[in-house]
Amino acid sequence: MNNIFIIGVGLIGGSFALDIKALHPECKVFGIDTTEAHLEEALQLGVIDEKANFEDLNKAEIVIIAIPVDATLEVLPKVLDHISDDTIVFDVGSTKEDICEKVRNHPKRRNYLAVHPIAGTEHSGPKAAIHGLYKNKTNIICEVEETAFKLQEKALKLFSDLGMRIRYMNPKAHDKHIAYVSHLSHISAFMLGKTVIDKERNERDIFDMAGSGFASTVRLAKSSPAMWTPIFKQNKANVIETLDEYIDNLKHFKQLMEDNDFEAVYNEMEKTNHIKDILNGIQ
């Protein structure tokens, strides 16, 4: 493996860079980013070997696009315009339908693989990049049949070497399901954080009482709004549908309490305990 180009040298792109460099010490990792400070930091940390620009992409073997999904809509066609016929390009965005549609008729659509690794933390920037982020994580691939077979093989070997599990889905199903298991949980964390912050204005000691349960529940509220606002925009219909269902469940729970039906409250929570078995299966 030779020249790897990372567009967006933060947590996701940077973690790919670190693991690829560990697997293939001989390869050279180039970074492209709109924030010069991120490129300098990535260089200093050894996440990338050299800064680059789009005109350099003709020498790329693999291009990884790890930027917000709205920017990916604009950048992906530009990347495909600059690469050689032997280059595989994949993005790592949390939405897939709009992105796949954007390049459906591009002359080099065969060079693109739509990818979503289910991995990450609430941190951002090059300093957030970590080794082993993708080990034992699920990697969803959409429209694999649209990508040239020999280029598929190159990407799939990389994912296998990183220890990832592969799942295939169509873009529409991906966006619907991910709204439930990822996008909704981020909204819930943001709004829980907002609720507590609003209350904290009047009760300064509320955070003194916040334990590990609160910290783990609200952790996702530390995520980057610059990344998540475009995700909610692109997946708006699915996210609104999941919010409607979530709000209905909250209202139902509230009504049970107002009715003093705590047996039903207990039963609701007991049924939901089944989530432990589901999550254990994922692990």
Side-chain angles (χ1 to χ4, degrees):
M1 191 171 290
N2 297 307
N3 296 332
I4 311 298
F5 280 71
I6 309 288
I7 302 177
V9 294
L11 164 68
I12 300 298
S15 296
F16 266 113
L18 290 177
D19 282 348
I20 291 172
K21 285 159 68 77
L23 286 169
H24 303 280
E26 76 287 354
C27 83
K28 193 167 187 180
V29 177
F30 297 84
I32 299 175
D33 201 292
T34 56
T35 304
E36 183 64 25
H38 280 178
L39 287 173
E40 289 294 337
E41 185 176 18
L43 273 173
Q44 292 171 10
L45 294 171
V47 173
I48 61 173
D49 300 309
E50 193 174 315
K51 293 188 269 188
N53 54 53
F54 285 91
E55 285 66 37
D56 300 317
L57 288 173
N58 61 345
K59 61 184 180 183
E61 181 175 348
I62 296 176
V63 181
I64 302 170
I65 302 175
I67 55 180
V69 292
D70 58 338
T72 299
L73 286 175
E74 303 304 318
V75 167
L76 177 56
K78 183 178 177 181
V79 170
L80 293 177
D81 288 341
H82 282 84
I83 59 169
S84 75
D85 289 340
D86 297 320
T87 304
I88 180 66
V89 177
F90 64 86
D91 80 299
V92 295
S94 183
T95 61
K96 282 289 162 275
E97 191 171 10
D98 285 359
I99 292 171
C100 287
E101 188 59 37
K102 181 74 174 182
V103 294
R104 186 162 308 284
N105 298 313
H106 193 283
K108 288 189 176 175
R109 173 62 183 84
R110 62 187 290 281
N111 293 77
Y112 166 63
L113 187 66
V115 168
H116 180 202
I118 311 298
T121 72
E122 68 273 25
H123 305 297
S124 58
K127 65 181 179 298
I130 54 176
H131 286 283
L133 179 65
Y134 303 105
K135 187 174 179 59
N136 297 323
K137 298 299 194 303
T138 298
N139 193 16
I140 300 175
I141 298 178
C142 298
E143 294 190 341
V144 67
E145 70 280 358
E146 299 293 333
T147 306
F149 184 72
K150 68 174 183 177
L151 298 179
Q152 288 179 36
E153 285 188 313
K154 184 182 294 187
L156 289 170
K157 184 179 187 312
L158 172 61
F159 302 147
S160 176
D161 290 345
L162 293 175
M164 305 185 82
R165 299 187 299 257
I166 303 300
R167 176 88 184 266
Y168 297 96
M169 299 182 76
N170 67 66
K172 184 179 289 292
H174 167 275
D175 288 5
K176 184 176 183 65
H177 294 321
I178 209 71
Y180 283 92
V181 297
S182 175
H183 302 171
L184 179 60
S185 58
H186 279 79
I187 294 172
S188 179
F190 277 117
M191 291 303 97
L192 174 59
K194 178 184 185 300
T195 302
V196 174
I197 287 170
D198 289 346
K199 186 66 174 176
E200 187 267 347
R201 290 173 184 153
N202 298 319
E203 298 183 20
R204 296 295 303 176
D205 62 349
I206 193 167
F207 284 107
D208 291 337
M209 297 183 289
S212 59
F214 174 78
S216 62
T217 305
V218 82
R219 175 181 63 85
L220 296 177
K222 295 184 283 185
S223 300
S224 167
M227 181 179 78
W228 280 97
T229 302
I231 289 171
F232 298 147
K233 182 178 179 180
Q234 280 193 26
N235 207 20
K236 174 183 171 181
N238 289 316
V239 170
I240 288 174
E241 180 182 330
T242 64
L243 275 172
D244 284 340
E245 295 179 35
Y246 186 45
I247 291 167
D248 285 344
N249 278 318
L250 289 173
K251 287 180 176 178
H252 174 66
F253 196 89
K254 177 173 177 279
Q255 187 63 54
L256 293 177
M257 294 187 66
E258 288 175 343
D259 295 342
N260 283 316
D261 191 352
F262 287 97
E263 182 179 353
V265 167
Y266 175 91
N267 290 335
E268 287 289 317
M269 293 189 292
E270 186 179 44
K271 285 187 293 185
T272 307
N273 275 168
H274 174 56
I275 199 74
K276 292 185 294 186
D277 300 324
I278 296 172
L279 294 176
N280 286 336
I282 291 173
Q283 294 169 2

